[in-house]
């Protein structure tokens, strides 16, 4: 049985790694976070800016980062489900499917 832990702040998706699954720990995973940087007001006074998706493995610390510029920031939630999020989702899933690393104890 997997021990469930609270997701860290800004995590919008989590992919359990092989190690996390084997040990029953959902904190050994690839987390995707989303950060926003506002730049200007767009049409209809909507905020326009950059969205950065970071996939980070808590087991081996490998990561993938992609920034998309000039997006409407009120559309962050659908970003991961769109073609913008495809790369991050695919990288996270492929990495989680093969990563057997366990983080060094504190």
């Amino acid at each position: 049985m997997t021990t469930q832990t609270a997701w860290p702040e800004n995590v919008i998706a989590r992919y359990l790694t092989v190690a996390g699954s084997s040990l029953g720990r959902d904190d050994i995973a690839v987390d995707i976070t989303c950060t926003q940087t506002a730049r200007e007001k767009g049409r209809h006074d909507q905020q326009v800016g950059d969205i950065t998706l970071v996939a980070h493995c808590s087991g081996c610390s490998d990561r993938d980062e992609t920034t998309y510029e000039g997006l409407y920031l009120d559309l962050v939630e659908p970003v991961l489900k769109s073609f913008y999020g495809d790369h991050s989702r695919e990288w996270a899933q492929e990495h989680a499917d093969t990563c057997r690393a366990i983080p060094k104890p504190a």
Side-chain angles (χ1 to χ4, degrees):
M1 183 170 176
T2 302
T3 303
Q4 292 190 347
T5 58
W7 287 13
E9 192 174 343
N10 295 328
V11 170
I12 57 174
R14 176 171 269 186
Y15 296 83
L16 193 61
T17 65
V18 174
S21 180
S22 297
L23 296 172
R25 291 182 48 193
D26 72 349
D27 62 322
I28 304 175
V30 179
D31 289 336
I32 298 178
T33 57
C34 181
T35 56
Q36 305 174 35
T37 305
R39 290 194 289 147
E40 59 194 53
K41 292 282 186 178
R43 292 183 313 166
H44 309 293
D45 216 27
Q46 292 177 305
Q47 194 68 49
V48 176
D50 305 332
I51 294 175
T52 301
L53 298 174
V54 177
H56 177 262
C57 179
S58 63
C60 71
S61 295
D62 202 0
R63 64 185 276 133
D64 179 78
E65 183 174 326
T66 307
T67 299
Y68 300 99
E69 298 177 346
L71 299 178
Y72 287 104
L73 298 183
D74 60 345
L75 300 177
V76 171
E77 196 59 39
V79 166
L80 186 63
K81 297 175 184 172
S82 74
F83 63 91
Y84 289 111
D86 285 350
H87 173 78
S88 295
R89 281 194 324 272
E90 290 168 7
W91 186 93
Q93 183 66 59
E94 288 175 11
H95 185 83
D97 284 347
T98 60
C99 186
R100 290 171 169 72
I102 300 170
K104 182 179 177 179

